[in-house]
Amino acid sequence: DIQMTQSPSSLSASVGDRVTITCRASQSIGRYLNWYQQIPGKAPKLLIYAASTLQSGVPSRFSGSGSGIDFTLTISSLQPEDFATYYCQRSFSSPPAFGQGSRVEIK
Amino acid sequence: EGQLVESGGLVVQPGGSLRLSCAASGFTFDDHTMHWVRQAPGKGLEWVALISWDGSAAFYADSVEGRFSISRDNNKNSLYLQMNSLTTEDTALYYCVKEGVSPDAPTYYYMDVWGKGTTVAVSS
């Protein structure tokens, strides 16, 4: 199976900071990479699919990039409602595995 | 966009069985592959199983293969997960999830609608 590894596992940041989370696949997955946000106590929410396509209704401060093995989720200016855990997920081949998550905490 | 409502979560003893249900509304249910994803307390997301739009194909995580069975009733807009031989490792919040498909070529798949989840606790 293709493994997904996120980094960092957690980070502390302030409102207004630029935040970057990376996701690495154990082998090439093209652009078959999705990003989700999970606020504590809530279900996950799709942010980005196909590595860089913003889901409808998601603020433009979120962006995704990458292809092949290395992918990045960037929040250009962190807002209070963005403190959450972020997961990458590959949609290339079965099983559709998730990364272990990256928790964004308030500094 | 749609709504998913899970039910059936309970406290069950190790070795026991449970059937989860998911009621779908607000979208054409039989157009979409459906998934179950779980989250153990304080842990990350773990994909459990998927079923094709017509129920003809199903796939499982290694951790549940042979113990869990996913099914659907398109006439009732419902998804199910039959869970047998439960262990404490199966304790989790179970989410029902709709698979979306990108509108343009090439085709990409993603999980775009999630229920609120139903809690399964396996304990003696």
Side-chain angles (χ1 to χ4, degrees):
Chain A
D1 292 350
I2 301 173
Q3 305 301 316
M4 308 302 295
T5 304
Q6 288 181 235
S7 62
S9 296
S10 65
L11 66 92
S12 296
S14 301
V15 172
D17 284 353
R18 182 182 182 88
V19 169
T20 299
I21 296 168
T22 63
C23 179
R24 172 166 285 185
S26 58
Q27 64 188 75
S28 178
I29 58 170
R31 296 179 62 82
Y32 291 88
L33 192 283
N34 306 322
W35 289 99
Y36 302 85
Q37 175 196 59
Q38 188 177 34
I39 293 168
K42 302 290 188 182
K45 171 188 172 183
L46 175 68
L47 294 177
I48 288 169
Y49 66 90
S52 62
T53 303
L54 210 60
Q55 172 70 342
S56 175
V58 174
S60 59
R61 62 181 180 273
F62 291 94
S63 64
S65 64
S67 67
I69 293 175
D70 290 316
F71 302 86
T72 299
L73 172 69
T74 299
I75 309 172
S76 60
S77 177
L78 199 65
Q79 298 303 298
E81 61 268 31
D82 301 336
F83 291 94
T85 300
Y86 295 85
Y87 295 92
C88 64
Q89 177 243 328
R90 64 167 174 80
S91 57
F92 176 80
S93 83
S94 188
F98 293 91
Q100 80 276 20
S102 295
R103 184 177 178 183
V104 177
E105 300 175 317
I106 300 172
K107 181 183 276 185
Chain B
E1 182 182 71
Q3 185 178 11
L4 299 168
V5 179
E6 303 91 338
S7 61
L10 284 175
V11 178
V12 61
Q13 291 190 336
S17 297
L18 205 55
R19 189 195 197 204
L20 305 184
S21 299
C22 170
S25 61
F27 64 96
T28 305
F29 183 68
D30 56 10
D31 274 354
H32 296 275
T33 292
M34 297 293 296
H35 300 256
W36 288 98
V37 174
R38 69 184 181 183
Q39 187 168 35
K43 303 296 185 182
L45 302 172
E46 180 188 15
W47 173 79
V48 174
L50 72 83
I51 187 167
S52 61
W53 66 273
D54 61 353
S56 64
F59 297 92
Y60 300 91
D62 289 346
S63 58
V64 307
E65 179 84 56
R67 301 187 299 121
F68 289 12
S69 177
I70 188 172
S71 61
R72 64 191 297 161
D73 185 338
N74 287 344
N75 293 320
K76 295 182 178 179
N77 288 348
S78 292
L79 178 72
Y80 306 100
L81 185 67
Q82 178 65 43
M83 310 163 65
N84 298 329
S85 303
L86 286 161
T87 76
T88 56
E89 301 293 306
D90 298 314
T91 294
L93 182 62
Y94 284 74
Y95 292 104
C96 171
V97 186
K98 165 184 166 283
E99 181 174 284
V101 180
S102 57
D104 303 314
T107 300
Y108 291 96
Y109 302 93
Y110 41 81
M111 299 182 184
D112 63 347
V113 180
W114 296 65
K116 288 184 167 63
T118 187
T119 298
V120 173
V122 184
S123 173
S124 54

